[in-house]
Amino acid sequence: MVILIWMSVASFCQTAREKYNFNLLSNDILQIVKETKAVGVSVALIDNYEVVWARGFGMNEIGTTDSVRITTLFQAASITKPVTAMAVVKKFNQGAILLTDDVDKQLISWHIPENYLTKEAPVTVKQLLSHTSGITNKEVPMYHPNDKLPTLVQALKGESPAENEPVVMAYYPGKTFSYSGWGYGILELLLMDTEKKNFPKVIQDEVFDPLQMSNSTFAYQLPNEKFKSIAYGHEQNKVFEHKYYVMEPLSPGGLWTTPTDLAKFIIEIQLSLIGKSNKVLTQNSTKLMLTPVLNDYALGFTKERRGNNVLFFGHDGQNYGYICSMLGSVENGRGVVIMTNSDNGWKAINKIKKLVGRKYWGF
């Protein structure tokens, strides 16, 4: 089947124009989108600590002419976790949250249910950030946008209208890596209890506003007056009846954003690492955030070496109908963010990563 492709107006940096031929990159990505039958794809490229290029490909909804633009919002899925982690580490840096003390003593609205595992050792914020807390790794449910959604405390308790069981300890704290969205749900509550604000307001104040991430939101009902271009979720090239699903708690995967906004997030980490920016974190706090605990997972980020042994930090994300990935180099200010709105998005993402690495990063 022939898929028509529409492209948004690209955003360029003059120095990058001289360094790269982005017309060729656009053509190559167009071909990848056609080959993989991805519905919509949005990409932002970072070079020398700047967003040098961004473009949208394909459609917000299959069968329409509603094209992806660089301002089109996608669900970031688990990329929400490092954004949450940045706010937590900031509060630690300010002395409002204790990183290695018992998190249960810092919580107000809910407490981890006691069992034989909780008597082994206390659960810490650092463990929750690095998925080593032992909190259950069961899936966080997704809801239709018009469903009656549980509060965060109802979700943690497993009370109606939540569609999950109560959150409990499943492993000894600090002894194993077990990826847990619910661990981040506890961090979400910790931020709310600490700041006496709802979670979207905390992230707006602590991350979005300082980094000028103006196309990022935790809104459940989209599109709205501010955010008009939304990429809807697809499975097997069919749009969901309700267009997309939502998550409660929000911190494991409820962020809507763009590759350009996530690129700003990456660049701030990169600049902070070399002591050239502290809009959110100090240099030492950023280094702490990128220090692996177990299995190359740090405080909200994974670490990996790619190509010719270049060290990157980043995170992937996958919700129903959305797949995305972001990478930032630890040195030299390079990176890429790719977001898709279809369940076959991995094919496009992996091909685009290889393309960028081969043609623009030299590996």
Side-chain angles (χ1 to χ4, degrees), residues 33-52:
V33 173
K34 291 178 181 178
E35 290 174 356
T36 61
K37 295 181 171 60
V39 178
V41 177
S42 189
V43 184
L45 190 65
I46 301 165
D47 187 74
N48 195 29
Y49 306 97
E50 294 182 312
V51 180
V52 295

Side-chain angles (χ1 to χ4, degrees), residues 139-348:
E139 185 176 354
V140 178
M142 304 287 286
Y143 301 88
H144 293 154
N146 294 322
D147 285 347
K148 183 178 180 181
L149 300 176
T151 66
L152 177 53
V153 171
Q154 285 175 328
L156 291 168
K157 289 182 176 180
E159 295 179 349
S160 180
E163 296 178 358
N164 56 273
E165 297 176 356
V167 173
V168 297
M169 294 291 295
Y171 309 97
Y172 288 109
K175 293 189 176 182
T176 187
F177 176 89
S178 182
Y179 191 84
S180 174
W182 287 111
Y184 270 75
I186 295 173
L187 292 171
E188 178 178 337
L189 187 65
L190 178 63
L191 286 169
M192 293 167 62
D193 281 349
T194 301
E195 294 298 292
K196 305 296 187 291
K197 303 174 184 176
N198 65 41
F199 179 70
K201 177 62 174 171
V202 173
I203 301 301
Q204 188 73 46
D205 291 346
E206 307 298 338
V207 181
F208 294 165
D209 286 348
L211 301 186
Q212 297 183 342
M213 294 173 65
S214 57
N215 284 306
S216 298
T217 184
F218 286 96
Y220 279 137
Q221 300 292 337
L222 293 170
N224 59 27
E225 187 62 30
K226 182 177 180 181
F227 304 108
K228 301 182 186 301
S229 181
I230 305 300
Y232 296 130
H234 295 76
E235 188 174 56
Q236 297 180 351
N237 280 349
K238 292 182 180 179
V239 69
F240 291 128
E241 180 182 355
H242 297 274
K243 305 299 184 182
Y244 56 84
Y245 289 82
V246 298
M247 182 176 286
E248 182 60 58
L250 293 166
S251 54
L255 173 63
W256 289 87
T257 188
T258 66
T260 299
D261 266 18
L262 289 177
K264 294 176 183 178
F265 177 76
I266 290 173
I267 291 166
E268 178 63 20
I269 294 286
Q270 292 172 324
L271 289 174
S272 182
L273 276 176
I274 59 175
K276 291 189 175 181
S277 185
N278 60 352
K279 294 177 182 176
V280 181
L281 301 179
T282 65
Q283 184 179 23
N284 285 337
S285 294
T286 301
K287 289 179 178 179
L288 174 66
M289 195 174 176
L290 292 185
T291 301
V293 178
L294 278 176
N295 290 17
D296 295 323
Y297 203 100
L299 306 187
F301 286 109
T302 58
K303 300 283 283 294
E304 63 174 305
R305 293 191 180 273
R306 300 177 67 89
N308 50 357
N309 208 32
V310 177
L311 184 60
F312 285 84
F313 64 92
H315 212 289
D316 294 332
Q318 181 171 350
N319 280 356
Y320 296 155
Y322 298 90
I323 297 175
C324 51
S325 184
M326 69 176 186
L327 283 173
S329 63
V330 172
E331 298 178 341
N332 301 321
R334 295 181 293 189
V336 65
V337 185
I338 310 162
M339 307 187 80
T340 74
N341 63 335
S342 59
D343 60 342
N344 63 352
W346 283 127
K347 295 177 182 178

Side-chain angles (χ1 to χ4, degrees), residues 102-119:
D102 188 347
V103 70
D104 215 47
K105 293 181 178 180
Q106 303 176 66
L107 291 167
I108 299 170
S109 305
W110 172 88
H111 295 281
I112 300 170
E114 291 185 359
N115 63 17
Y116 72 99
L117 294 169
T118 62
K119 298 176 181 179

